[in-house]
Amino acid sequence: MKSTVEPFEHLTGQLKKEHKKSYDAWLQYEPVMDKSLSGQYQQYARSVEAMETSSIIQSAKQELHHAFTSMFENTAGHDDGAERCGIVLTTVESVEGPLKVEAARLSRDGYQIKSVLTSEGPRIYLIGMEEQGVLYAAFHLLRIMQNGSLVDSLNITENPTNQLRMINQWDNMDGSIERGYAGASIFYDKNGFTGDLERIKDYARLLSSVGINGISINNVNVHHVETNLITESLLPKVADVAAVFRAYGIKTYLSVNYASPLQLGGLSTADPLDPGVRAWWKEKTKEIYQYIPDFGGFVVKADSEHRPGPFTYNRTHADGANMLGEALEPFAGLVFWRCFVYNCLQDWRDRSTDRARAAYDHFKPLDGQFHSNVILQIKNGPMDFQVREAVSPLFGAMEHTNQMLELQVTQEYTGQQRHLCYLVPQWKEILDFDTYAKGKGSEVKRVVDGSLYQPAYAGITAVSNIGNDYNWTGHTLAQANLYGYGRLTWNPDLSSEEITAEWIARTFGKDEVVHEQVRSMLLDSWSIYENYTSPLGVGWMVNPNHHYGPNPDGYEYSLWGTYHFADWQGIGVDRTVASGTGYTSQYLKENKEMYESLQTCPDELLLFFHHVPYTHELKSGKTVIQHIYDTHFAGAEQAENLKTMWEMLEGRMDGERYRDVLSRLVEQAEHAKEWRDIINTYFYRKSGIKDQQNRKIY
Amino acid sequence: MKSTVEPFEHLTGQLKKEHKKSYDAWLQYEPVMDKSLSGQYQQYARSVEAMETSSIIQSAKQELHHAFTSMFENTAGHDDGAERCGIVLTTVESVEGPLKVEAARLSRDGYQIKSVLTSEGPRIYLIGMEEQGVLYAAFHLLRIMQNGSLVDSLNITENPTNQLRMINQWDNMDGSIERGYAGASIFYDKNGFTGDLERIKDYARLLSSVGINGISINNVNVHHVETNLITESLLPKVADVAAVFRAYGIKTYLSVNYASPLQLGGLSTADPLDPGVRAWWKEKTKEIYQYIPDFGGFVVKADSEHRPGPFTYNRTHADGANMLGEALEPFAGLVFWRCFVYNCLQDWRDRSTDRARAAYDHFKPLDGQFHSNVILQIKNGPMDFQVREAVSPLFGAMEHTNQMLELQVTQEYTGQQRHLCYLVPQWKEILDFDTYAKGKGSEVKRVVDGSLYQPAYAGITAVSNIGNDYNWTGHTLAQANLYGYGRLTWNPDLSSEEITAEWIARTFGKDEVVHEQVRSMLLDSWSIYENYTSPLGVGWMVNPNHHYGPNPDGYEYSLWGTYHFADWQGIGVDRTVASGTGYTSQYLKENKEMYESLQTCPDELLLFFHHVPYTHELKSGKTVIQHIYDTHFAGAEQAENLKTMWEMLEGRMDGERYRDVLSRLVEQAEHAKEWRDIINTYFYRKSGIKDQQNRKIY
């Protein structure tokens, strides 16, 4: 497992130099100006001692060295002997005495940070259960220093709540990124690998610093060229990338084409019960592990949106997934089988078919039939990453099946990183949603952290929002989404406020005005975006294909199962058992009853579950139509205000990040008006009901 | 002017062989089965004598030889001496005696066909005023034979009504065709020329056979690569293509990029009044004529849809066009200056700006300011080739300016050659539209044939519908549009029925059942298409960009100036002087009054000129909403019936053309239902008014 990457200090490219603040994201490591703090930190920084020499431990040392070099005037000491006080990196295995006993409580990726006054002087022990824990501990210590806290009496024990903390890249080998809004792929270009391992290493650093431990490096829609990623022509390159991630405690996975046996193997079938097919996948998997001994496994989008899958052969998803599971089993690899399966050639005239029902209808009957290393990867909602939709009823519904939550960090339907939309508050709502699967307290977060049913595997994954833009995410403030995602996978109980404060401090430093403005901008942004876009959970009022900008009927007469049924009287999808598609019956009693009844259905999901007249009165006391008008006028004003708030920060940060964010906020404010006017006009022209405040509707 | 093309008989490619019937279009030349006719024809066919030897006369001889070889079992004689009876090809210049006197009445492209019994036997004289007339006469004689008419007492004099009878290719050098629906370009591929001069020659034959005498060979949107067509790197290739067309009496033109002096000349401006720019164009034009001594001139789309133009320099369109006119003048070249100029970044909220007004508002004030070799190229309607729109008020409005009508043979908004939509009836309506410019009888056809104002130049042009599909036009029956277009440019007084009958006979032969079915299918198809698509002249209810398929609000909130303003009460664009945009004032009194008044505005343009309630009663006695429902239910049924009618023709023609057309008609019938349901549902959901017949609306 040779590493093909030199330490990044020696390879720093033009981009990193010219756009340092933008590029460094939350790993800024500003010089510590407070003399007393600086003195305390340097006492430790002087010496960094490692008890092991693995690549991950080396990364931890590098990270500390890199940070200290940047934070302190005098170059920090580095690895110069155990006799001086300083920082000790070690796994539990190499620790002795009381520290060892205490550390035994750690889980696999857990760690302790302990300040200890030894006879030779003060030390900080960074103790990992395994080596990746040591790296996480190093990043944690640096976070403490970035926040300007004292470090001489640390006694921290951290275990991640989720076992699998993943990122999915939707990168194609032509360099494009499906639903990417931050430039081209950092992995691929012109149907090959970019070879820019330095950039990939910097991505690994960002991911590892927030606890991510797995990455699938190609789009779930596996096209012709990408199908070859599991062949000898490309596996050496995949192995190079895997080596970079390995050094940061991140396992590499690949999305695979279910029809690979046909395209690559020359077989005449991809039937998962065909012995030839099964043998082919076993051989293929073995081959992959020869290149990458710790390969993570496969992500599979099958029988979905024109992708091939087991349905072609009249087999179930369990048949399809288990075949891959068995091939991966000898190597402890995993299968992430996506549940995003629905009829994408629906007739809009047919009101009885409901796309929202599809995942549950397909997978619930298969509970208990999946192999132990197969994990169902379930999108947070039953539709597709809308700004607001119900939580998928599959969570908690399959007691005997591994489940994983899939979120979308990339802002496909939430402004495409041209609008500010901080998603941590949305994710918190999803994680905190109570499924009642085992009675009250059966939140989604307890399903996917495994504590509810103790499955073999569980966790959270998400579609990444990064590309080769110099600030990684297009919108500089969208870095906060990647940060927050990672932090929540580690600990879903962190509050939005905590995560936000951490991110601001690490990204912009300690300026109180910056903190106050950015905190408020971030925390309000999802609700602002929701205000001026699709109302009350109805979703889908976007332009087809690219999904940017308002188009109230954009998906109304389509094949995609995405309708709102607005007419001159009212709007919404009746998903009740009483008179609609019966989707509500997929929830357990408490939620079913809540959504089924107009009285108890929350306002923000009203149109997701019910078709109501425009004059229907919300719990707020407003009618639906007046709510639409009010939120849209308010939302556009709020978007304008985001710009004004940001303008207060001029001079309080580097010019590049200030200007980059400002230009996006200017576009957002303008585009929010377009949203406001089109949505309001659409509903006014349909309903004929005037705005009570007589504001301008066209 | 060397010809680089060998006679096509020796180069016939695979395509022509394998798809002969589809490829030959209306130049079928079926064997003549009637013995007496065959005998009569062969009496003449035995010998074809030419008095001149130019490339065009050679083409005429080739065409006759090719046709006779195909029509008669015994290979026809060819050029074997004047002493035998037969066909004589000659220009007026070489004719003597009474024939010469008579022929002196011919106009430039005119010809006579005369059967004469000489002492040596019967002869047919094909006498052209110039050599292209001889070629037209040859095609005319063949048409007579294809129709099975007698030829022994012919006495025909034909002069084209229009001087300029052009075709515009919207082909790009990457091989794509803007608004092309029949495969890739026959001219270009991979940013170069295809070099397939044989295919181009066969296109020239088709065009010449219906009287076309000019072609611009690249897209009016002249992109980066195509800008180089007027440079020495590509002019030799252009000259090769021009040679092919020249042999068929067709002049070659190029679309040019107004910013060429910047891109090609390295100048810092393209200001038409700048002496350096003027000198550059003069030199450039001279260079072009060195390669192509009979080069036709330039087609220019300037200051339109993001194309550069004189506006950039605060100059008028007259300034811009005249500069090019002066450069072309020494070579008798022409400038076609397109009037498709409007604000394509309009705010949909602004109801006072009316795109329909734009061409007139821009150009009318410039009457008399254009150079004598500049011709304004005006789209038939003020919007953009909709299935139904008003006729452009610019026709006849500029007494002192050369005007040319631009039609669209390619079916951008009329079903993209996947739907049958025979446009000859539409074009007839346009040509017969009375502008009243010089009182009653001032039809558009009299404006563009020059008889109304006697301008220096006038004529008709159109965007081609061909590509490299083996049947040229995607939909085999769409060949009829190209045919009919050419015939109408020659003689706008031909009736739709005459043209249709000619085309069917030449394309499918004499089968009466085929005649009856195809005639009826073609002649009804425009009205059928209109029935199930946008109602009552409102237009634009299509998907943005590609313009295929229904999308009632597709252009409603766009930047393109294309709105219908449908709300819960009514629909339509108020273009009256009384209460609307005042567009009606651009027409002369008679038309202005007709359109201004709800009482006299024709039903089919009602929503183009007026915003009315859905309950407004049409002249038919129906309400607008009921008309919409009725026409859409009827249109979809009619589309289904087209398929049924075609199915009656199985076995009455070759299988390929039968199946190709059938598969398109199947798609059309299905897609017409989608149109029906989406349009009806859209209006029902908006108006809440039920169909009186209680048919299914979703």
Side-chain angles (χ1 to χ4, degrees):
Chain A
M1 292 195 222
K2 76 183 166 85
S3 166
T4 58
V5 199
E6 295 181 58
F8 53 89
E9 285 89 348
H10 306 300
L11 276 173
T12 306
Q14 203 63 6
L15 199 72
K16 295 169 65 165
K17 276 191 209 140
E18 288 179 9
H19 306 280
K20 184 164 175 24
K21 305 297 288 179
S22 302
Y23 187 89
D24 283 350
W26 55 85
L27 302 179
Q28 296 285 333
Y29 308 124
E30 283 290 305
V32 180
M33 306 311 285
D34 180 312
K35 290 239 156 110
S36 100
L37 264 184
S38 176
Q40 186 188 88
Y41 293 172
Q42 289 190 66
Q43 217 182 350
Y44 299 99
R46 208 171 290 151
S47 154
V48 176
E49 179 197 5
M51 310 298 283
E52 292 101 348
T53 56
S54 76
S55 70
I56 297 180
I57 302 282
Q58 286 307 310
S59 296
K61 284 178 67 176
Q62 266 184 34
E63 288 301 320
L64 292 169
H65 179 65
H66 167 71
F68 294 157
T69 308
S70 170
M71 291 163 92
F72 312 120
E73 242 172 57
N74 306 319
T75 305
H78 189 46
D79 200 14
D80 47 359
E83 53 289 342
R84 295 172 59 187
C85 60
I87 297 168
V88 181
L89 311 185
T90 179
T91 60
V92 171
E93 204 172 27
S94 309
V95 172
E96 284 161 14
L99 283 176
K100 189 177 187 95
V101 176
E102 225 180 306
R105 291 174 312 176
L106 294 175
S107 70
R108 199 167 166 278
D109 289 352
Y111 59 84
Q112 288 194 319
I113 303 179
K114 289 231 155 216
S115 311
V116 177
L117 191 58
T118 69
S119 52
E120 289 129 359
R123 281 196 178 163
I124 295 174
Y125 281 86
L126 305 180
I127 309 167
M129 186 61 171
E130 299 184 4
E131 52 195 11
Q132 63 271 25
V134 180
L135 179 60
Y136 297 142
F139 277 121
H140 191 150
L141 177 65
L142 290 172
R143 185 168 83 229
I144 292 169
M145 292 181 173
Q146 284 178 297
N147 275 281
S149 305
L150 297 174
V151 297
D152 53 2
S153 55
L154 298 174
N155 186 7
I156 295 168
T157 302
E158 279 273 336
N159 287 309
T161 308
N162 291 288
Q163 173 188 17
L164 296 166
R165 306 177 299 280
M166 295 221 2
I167 273 286
N168 291 177
Q169 298 299 128
W170 282 2
D171 295 33
N172 301 312
M173 292 194 71
D174 64 3
S176 68
I177 302 175
E178 186 158 327
R179 312 308 175 189
Y181 312 106
S185 173
I186 66 167
F187 294 91
Y188 315 108
D189 189 26
K190 302 192 183 80
N191 289 324
F193 280 75
T194 61
D196 185 358
L197 297 179
E198 185 190 7
R199 183 79 198 238
I200 294 169
K201 175 173 173 174
D202 284 336
Y203 186 37
R205 297 175 58 226
L206 290 172
L207 294 179
S208 182
S209 75
V210 291
I212 300 296
N213 67 352
I215 185 167
S216 65
I217 61 169
N218 64 307
N219 188 359
V220 289
N221 292 314
V222 184
H223 305 296
H224 191 83
V225 176
E226 294 80 3
T227 300
N228 296 302
L229 279 167
I230 54 171
T231 64
E232 58 182 359
S233 65
L234 292 173
L235 278 169
K237 299 279 187 185
V238 177
D240 288 346
V241 170
V244 175
F245 283 116
R246 179 182 303 115
Y248 280 85
I250 300 166
K251 268 192 200 244
T252 298
Y253 299 73
L254 289 171
S255 297
V256 292
N257 180 349
Y258 205 79
S260 294
L262 290 92
Q263 186 184 321
L264 303 178
L267 303 189
S268 59
T269 178
D271 182 350
L273 299 193
D274 179 271
V277 172
R278 299 171 78 84
W280 187 87
W281 276 111
K282 280 186 175 158
E283 269 310 300
K284 177 50 70 185
T285 305
K286 204 165 136 192
E287 186 188 352
I288 296 169
Y289 278 88
Q290 279 160 9
Y291 289 91
I292 310 156
D294 61 348
F295 179 67
F298 300 141
V299 177
V300 191
K301 176 175 181 176
D303 292 315
S304 169
E305 296 181 336
H306 314 297
R307 305 312 303 162
F311 283 178
T312 312
Y313 310 101
N314 285 315
R315 309 303 183 191
T316 69
H317 283 281
D319 295 332
N322 291 346
M323 172 195 61
L324 297 176
E326 283 167 34
L328 284 158
E329 194 167 36
F331 313 98
L334 306 179
V335 180
F336 296 96
W337 192 265
R338 294 178 85 238
C339 294
F340 187 53
V341 175
Y342 67 98
N343 175 10
C344 65
L345 292 172
Q346 198 178 314
D347 187 339
W348 59 270
R349 301 165 186 82
D350 165 23
R351 284 208 189 193
S352 66
T353 301
D354 182 1
R355 169 167 164 181
R357 291 189 59 124
Y360 186 99
D361 285 346
H362 278 296
F363 286 93
K364 165 75 178 169
L366 302 176
D367 188 24
Q369 297 181 30
F370 289 93
H371 206 277
S372 60
N373 62 344
V374 172
I375 303 146
L376 296 188
Q377 182 167 322
I378 307 164
K379 287 192 182 187
N380 60 271
M383 296 300 279
D384 190 19
F385 299 133
Q386 300 301 292
V387 66
R388 174 79 68 176
E389 58 179 294
V391 168
S392 171
L394 263 184
F395 291 112
M398 299 179 74
E399 186 170 352
H400 306 291
T401 302
N402 303 319
Q403 293 195 331
M404 185 140 177
L405 166 65
E406 178 178 328
L407 299 169
Q408 197 184 42
V409 186
T410 193
Q411 294 171 233
E412 177 176 359
Y413 294 95
T414 50
Q416 304 197 352
Q417 285 135 258
R418 293 155 81 175
H419 292 233
L420 180 62
C421 190
Y422 182 52
L423 292 165
V424 167
Q426 187 199 52
W427 298 331
K428 286 290 292 181
E429 280 196 17
I430 294 158
L431 291 163
D432 289 344
F433 179 77
D434 199 338
T435 68
Y436 293 95
K438 283 178 77 174
K440 197 163 163 50
S442 306
E443 293 92 353
V444 169
K445 63 187 174 191
R446 299 203 52 224
V447 173
V448 300
D449 72 10
S451 61
L452 199 69
Y453 292 133
Q454 275 81 39
Y457 297 96
I460 308 181
T461 190
V463 187
S464 175
N465 66 345
I466 71 107
N468 70 1
D469 276 1
Y470 59 74
N471 65 358
W472 298 93
T473 51
H475 201 310
T476 307
L477 298 185
Q479 294 174 347
N481 280 326
L482 186 60
Y483 184 87
Y485 167 71
R487 296 289 290 136
L488 278 178
T489 63
W490 185 274
N491 180 6
D493 289 322
L494 287 172
S495 71
S496 294
E497 290 72 16
E498 286 173 276
I499 293 170
T500 311
E502 267 183 20
W503 179 77
I504 298 170
R506 301 179 72 177
T507 305
F508 291 113
K510 297 178 70 99
D511 184 318
E512 278 306 315
V513 179
V514 173
H515 267 254
E516 182 42 37
Q517 298 298 310
V518 176
R519 189 194 62 77
S520 153
M521 289 173 68
L522 288 175
L523 290 174
D524 293 344
S525 60
W526 174 43
S527 131
I528 294 172
Y529 189 80
E530 182 176 20
N531 275 347
Y532 61 75
T533 59
S534 302
L536 298 165
V538 80
W540 293 109
M541 293 188 155
V542 292
N543 285 303
N545 307 321
H546 61 69
H547 300 160
Y548 189 71
N551 190 337
D553 276 353
Y555 276 94
E556 191 57 18
Y557 304 104
S558 75
L559 302 166
W560 299 95
T562 49
Y563 318 115
H564 55 58
F565 306 116
D567 63 17
W568 77 103
Q569 294 170 303
I571 182 174
V573 189
D574 185 349
R575 294 195 159 106
T576 64
V577 171
S579 52
T581 68
Y583 166 77
T584 55
S585 70
Q586 296 183 343
Y587 290 94
L588 287 155
K589 185 164 173 290
E590 292 81 350
N591 289 326
K592 182 195 149 173
E593 286 173 0
M594 172 177 65
Y595 291 136
E596 178 79 10
S597 155
L598 259 180
Q599 271 60 54
T600 51
C601 182
D603 279 356
E604 70 270 16
L605 286 172
L606 182 71
L607 303 182
F608 190 89
F609 284 104
H610 297 274
H611 188 94
V612 299
Y614 296 119
T615 51
H616 173 83
E617 196 171 293
L618 295 171
K619 293 182 183 51
S620 66
K622 284 182 185 169
T623 60
V624 164
I625 191 78
Q626 193 57 40
H627 171 89
I628 292 173
Y629 296 152
D630 288 350
T631 50
H632 284 75
F633 282 112
E637 265 182 51
Q638 291 169 308
E640 186 69 35
N641 192 44
L642 288 174
K643 185 174 61 123
T644 311
M645 290 173 77
W646 185 256
E647 283 167 342
M648 291 173 60
L649 306 184
E650 188 168 10
R652 292 182 177 273
M653 65 183 68
D654 55 295
E656 180 174 271
R657 289 191 297 178
Y658 173 75
R659 287 188 304 271
D660 283 354
V661 171
L662 182 61
S663 77
R664 304 255 164 174
L665 293 173
V666 167
E667 175 176 351
Q668 178 178 7
E670 204 50 45
H671 201 225
K673 288 182 198 126
E674 189 73 3
W675 269 102
R676 172 196 68 194
D677 291 341
I678 289 179
I679 298 288
N680 281 345
T681 299
Y682 176 86
F683 282 106
Y684 174 61
R685 287 192 187 170
K686 215 147 203 171
S687 68
I689 300 172
K690 291 206 168 118
D691 171 37
Q692 287 168 357
Q693 296 186 48
N694 272 313
R695 288 163 294 193
K696 183 74 184 162
I697 296 178
Y698 297 87
Chain B
M1 293 194 223
K2 76 183 166 86
S3 166
T4 57
V5 199
E6 295 181 58
F8 54 89
E9 285 89 349
H10 306 302
L11 277 173
T12 307
Q14 204 63 7
L15 199 72
K16 294 168 66 165
K17 277 192 208 140
E18 288 179 7
H19 306 281
K20 186 165 174 20
K21 306 298 287 180
S22 302
Y23 187 89
D24 283 350
W26 55 85
L27 302 180
Q28 295 286 333
Y29 307 124
E30 284 291 303
V32 180
M33 306 310 285
D34 179 313
K35 289 240 157 110
S36 100
L37 265 183
S38 175
Q40 186 188 86
Y41 293 171
Q42 288 190 68
Q43 216 180 352
Y44 299 98
R46 207 171 289 149
S47 153
V48 176
E49 180 197 4
M51 310 299 284
E52 291 101 347
T53 55
S54 76
S55 71
I56 297 181
I57 302 283
Q58 288 307 311
S59 295
K61 283 178 69 177
Q62 267 185 33
E63 289 301 321
L64 291 168
H65 180 65
H66 167 71
F68 295 157
T69 308
S70 169
M71 291 163 91
F72 312 120
E73 241 174 57
N74 306 321
T75 307
H78 189 43
D79 202 15
D80 47 359
E83 52 290 344
R84 298 171 59 186
C85 60
I87 298 168
V88 180
L89 311 185
T90 179
T91 61
V92 171
E93 204 173 25
S94 309
V95 171
E96 284 162 14
L99 283 177
K100 190 180 188 93
V101 178
E102 226 180 306
R105 292 172 313 176
L106 293 176
S107 70
R108 198 167 167 277
D109 288 352
Y111 59 84
Q112 289 195 319
I113 304 178
K114 290 229 154 223
S115 311
V116 177
L117 192 57
T118 69
S119 54
E120 289 130 359
R123 281 198 179 161
I124 296 174
Y125 282 86
L126 305 180
I127 309 167
M129 186 61 171
E130 299 184 4
E131 53 195 9
Q132 63 271 27
V134 180
L135 178 60
Y136 296 143
F139 276 121
H140 191 149
L141 177 64
L142 290 173
R143 186 168 82 229
I144 292 168
M145 292 180 174
Q146 284 178 298
N147 275 281
S149 304
L150 297 173
V151 297
D152 53 2
S153 55
L154 298 175
N155 185 7
I156 295 167
T157 301
E158 278 274 336
N159 288 310
T161 308
N162 291 289
Q163 175 187 16
L164 295 167
R165 306 177 300 280
M166 294 219 5
I167 272 286
N168 291 178
Q169 299 298 130
W170 283 2
D171 296 33
N172 300 313
M173 291 193 71
D174 64 3
S176 67
I177 303 175
E178 186 159 326
R179 312 308 175 187
Y181 312 107
S185 172
I186 66 167
F187 294 90
Y188 314 108
D189 189 27
K190 302 192 184 79
N191 289 324
F193 281 76
T194 61
D196 185 359
L197 296 179
E198 184 190 7
R199 183 78 198 239
I200 294 170
K201 175 172 174 175
D202 283 335
Y203 186 36
R205 296 175 59 225
L206 289 172
L207 294 179
S208 182
S209 74
V210 291
I212 299 297
N213 67 353
I215 185 167
S216 65
I217 62 169
N218 63 306
N219 189 359
V220 290
N221 291 315
V222 184
H223 305 295
H224 191 83
V225 176
E226 294 80 3
T227 300
N228 295 302
L229 280 167
I230 54 172
T231 64
E232 58 182 2
S233 66
L234 293 172
L235 278 168
K237 298 280 187 184
V238 177
D240 288 346
V241 170
V244 175
F245 283 116
R246 179 181 303 116
Y248 280 86
I250 301 166
K251 270 192 197 243
T252 297
Y253 298 74
L254 289 172
S255 297
V256 292
N257 179 349
Y258 205 79
S260 293
L262 289 93
Q263 186 184 320
L264 303 178
L267 304 189
S268 59
T269 177
D271 180 352
L273 299 193
D274 179 271
V277 171
R278 299 171 78 83
W280 186 88
W281 276 110
K282 280 184 175 156
E283 269 310 300
K284 177 49 70 185
T285 305
K286 206 166 134 190
E287 186 188 351
I288 296 170
Y289 278 89
Q290 279 161 7
Y291 288 92
I292 309 156
D294 60 348
F295 179 67
F298 300 141
V299 177
V300 190
K301 175 174 181 177
D303 291 316
S304 168
E305 294 181 338
H306 314 296
R307 304 312 302 162
F311 283 178
T312 312
Y313 309 101
N314 285 314
R315 308 302 184 193
T316 69
H317 282 281
D319 295 332
N322 291 346
M323 173 194 62
L324 296 176
E326 284 167 34
L328 284 158
E329 193 167 37
F331 312 98
L334 305 178
V335 180
F336 296 97
W337 192 266
R338 295 178 85 236
C339 295
F340 187 54
V341 175
Y342 66 98
N343 175 10
C344 65
L345 292 172
Q346 198 177 315
D347 188 338
W348 60 269
R349 300 166 187 83
D350 165 23
R351 283 206 189 195
S352 66
T353 302
D354 182 2
R355 168 168 165 179
R357 291 189 59 123
Y360 186 99
D361 285 346
H362 278 294
F363 286 94
K364 165 77 178 169
L366 301 176
D367 188 25
Q369 296 181 31
F370 289 93
H371 205 278
S372 61
N373 63 344
V374 172
I375 302 145
L376 295 189
Q377 182 166 324
I378 307 164
K379 287 192 181 186
N380 60 271
M383 296 301 279
D384 190 19
F385 300 134
Q386 300 302 292
V387 66
R388 174 80 67 175
E389 58 178 296
V391 168
S392 171
L394 263 183
F395 291 112
M398 300 179 75
E399 185 169 353
H400 307 291
T401 303
N402 303 320
Q403 293 195 332
M404 185 140 178
L405 166 65
E406 178 179 328
L407 299 170
Q408 197 184 40
V409 186
T410 193
Q411 293 171 233
E412 178 177 358
Y413 294 95
T414 51
Q416 306 197 350
Q417 285 137 256
R418 292 155 79 175
H419 292 233
L420 180 63
C421 190
Y422 182 53
L423 292 165
V424 167
Q426 187 200 51
W427 298 332
K428 287 291 292 180
E429 280 196 18
I430 294 159
L431 291 162
D432 289 343
F433 179 77
D434 199 338
T435 68
Y436 293 94
K438 283 178 77 172
K440 197 163 163 51
S442 306
E443 294 91 354
V444 168
K445 63 186 174 191
R446 297 202 53 223
V447 174
V448 300
D449 72 9
S451 62
L452 199 70
Y453 292 133
Q454 273 82 39
Y457 298 96
I460 308 180
T461 190
V463 187
S464 175
N465 65 344
I466 70 106
N468 70 1
D469 276 359
Y470 59 74
N471 64 358
W472 298 93
T473 51
H475 201 310
T476 307
L477 298 185
Q479 294 174 348
N481 280 326
L482 186 60
Y483 183 86
Y485 167 71
R487 296 290 290 135
L488 278 178
T489 63
W490 184 274
N491 180 6
D493 289 322
L494 287 172
S495 70
S496 293
E497 289 72 16
E498 286 172 278
I499 293 170
T500 310
E502 268 183 18
W503 178 78
I504 297 170
R506 300 179 73 177
T507 304
F508 291 113
K510 297 177 70 103
D511 184 320
E512 277 306 316
V513 180
V514 173
H515 267 254
E516 183 42 38
Q517 298 298 311
V518 176
R519 189 194 62 77
S520 152
M521 289 172 67
L522 288 175
L523 290 174
D524 293 343
S525 60
W526 174 43
S527 131
I528 294 172
Y529 189 79
E530 183 176 19
N531 275 347
Y532 61 75
T533 59
S534 302
L536 298 165
V538 81
W540 293 110
M541 293 189 156
V542 293
N543 284 303
N545 307 321
H546 61 69
H547 301 160
Y548 190 71
N551 189 339
D553 276 353
Y555 275 93
E556 191 57 18
Y557 304 104
S558 75
L559 301 165
W560 299 96
T562 48
Y563 318 116
H564 55 59
F565 306 116
D567 62 17
W568 77 104
Q569 293 170 304
I571 181 173
V573 190
D574 185 351
R575 294 194 159 105
T576 64
V577 171
S579 53
T581 67
Y583 166 76
T584 55
S585 70
Q586 295 184 342
Y587 290 93
L588 287 154
K589 186 164 172 290
E590 291 82 349
N591 289 327
K592 181 196 149 170
E593 287 173 359
M594 172 177 65
Y595 292 136
E596 178 78 10
S597 154
L598 259 180
Q599 272 59 56
T600 51
C601 182
D603 279 354
E604 70 268 17
L605 286 171
L606 182 71
L607 303 182
F608 190 89
F609 284 105
H610 297 274
H611 187 94
V612 299
Y614 296 120
T615 51
H616 173 85
E617 196 172 291
L618 295 171
K619 294 183 182 51
S620 66
K622 283 182 186 170
T623 60
V624 165
I625 190 78
Q626 192 57 39
H627 172 91
I628 292 173
Y629 295 153
D630 287 351
T631 50
H632 284 75
F633 282 112
E637 265 181 50
Q638 291 169 308
E640 186 69 35
N641 191 44
L642 287 175
K643 187 177 59 131
T644 311
M645 290 173 78
W646 186 257
E647 283 168 342
M648 291 173 60
L649 306 183
E650 188 169 9
R652 290 181 179 273
M653 65 184 67
D654 54 295
E656 180 173 89
R657 290 191 297 179
Y658 173 75
R659 287 188 305 269
D660 283 354
V661 171
L662 182 61
S663 77
R664 304 256 165 173
L665 294 172
V666 167
E667 175 177 350
Q668 177 178 8
E670 204 51 44
H671 200 224
K673 288 183 199 126
E674 190 72 3
W675 269 101
R676 172 196 68 195
D677 290 341
I678 289 179
I679 299 288
N680 282 345
T681 298
Y682 175 86
F683 283 106
Y684 174 62
R685 287 193 188 170
K686 216 146 203 171
S687 69
I689 300 171
K690 291 208 167 119
D691 171 38
Q692 287 168 358
Q693 295 186 47
N694 273 313
R695 288 163 293 194
K696 183 76 184 161
I697 297 178
Y698 297 87

